[in-house]
Amino acid sequence: MVYVSSDSPGQGAPLVLLLHGYGANEHDLFDLHRFFRKVHTLSLRAPLVLAPASFAWFDLAFTTQGIAVDPDQARKSVVLLNEYIQAAIHAFAPVSGKVILVGFSQGASMAALTTLHLSCLLYTS
C-alpha cells in the first residue's frame, strides 16, 4: 500500500519515499509530506504483516545476545524497495531520477541498505 501526497508539484519534481519503522504502517510518517515542497511524497507499507495495521521490512528477534535480524528477509525487502523505486521513477519521471529516501527506525535501516545496494549496482555495472 502506498499513500501519495495530494500536492501537485509538477512534472520532473523529485520523489521523497517515506519508510516507516518496525510495527508501524504507511500512515505513520505520512504527515511529514506537509514539510516537503515541490516534491512528490510517497509513503510505503513494509511487506511483512506482524498484526493488523502493523508491518515490518524484516523480522527481528530479541535474544540474550541482542537484536537478531533475518538477513534473507532484509535482502528481499531491499530488492522489493528497489523495484518500487524504479516503478516510481517511471511513473513520476523526476528530473535526473532524483529520489530521496526518508526512514524512521527500521525504515532508516532500509533507506541505508537500499542506498548502499543501489550504489554497488552503479559502480559494478
Side-chain angles (χ1 to χ4, degrees), residues 23-115:
N25 61 43
E26 69 279 11
H27 300 284
D28 190 46
L29 301 177
F30 189 67
D31 282 343
L32 291 176
H33 84 277
R34 296 179 289 126
F35 299 104
F36 302 123
R37 300 284 182 242
K38 299 181 182 176
V39 299
H40 294 286
T41 306
L42 293 81
S43 189
L44 308 181
R45 177 189 290 175
L48 300 176
V49 179
L50 301 175
S54 179
F55 302 89
W57 297 98
F58 48 85
D59 280 329
L60 299 176
F62 299 92
T63 70
T64 56
Q65 290 80 30
I67 298 174
V69 172
D70 184 326
D72 289 332
Q73 281 183 339
R75 276 190 284 278
K76 286 177 186 174
S77 285
V78 166
V79 169
L80 185 66
L81 184 53
N82 181 42
E83 289 171 0
Y84 185 80
I85 291 168
Q86 298 310 313
I89 288 171
H90 181 73
F92 291 95
V95 172
S96 302
K98 189 168 188 175
V99 177
I100 302 157
L101 300 176
V102 178
F104 174 74
S105 190
Q106 193 179 66
S109 295
M110 284 301 298
L113 288 169
T114 302
T115 300

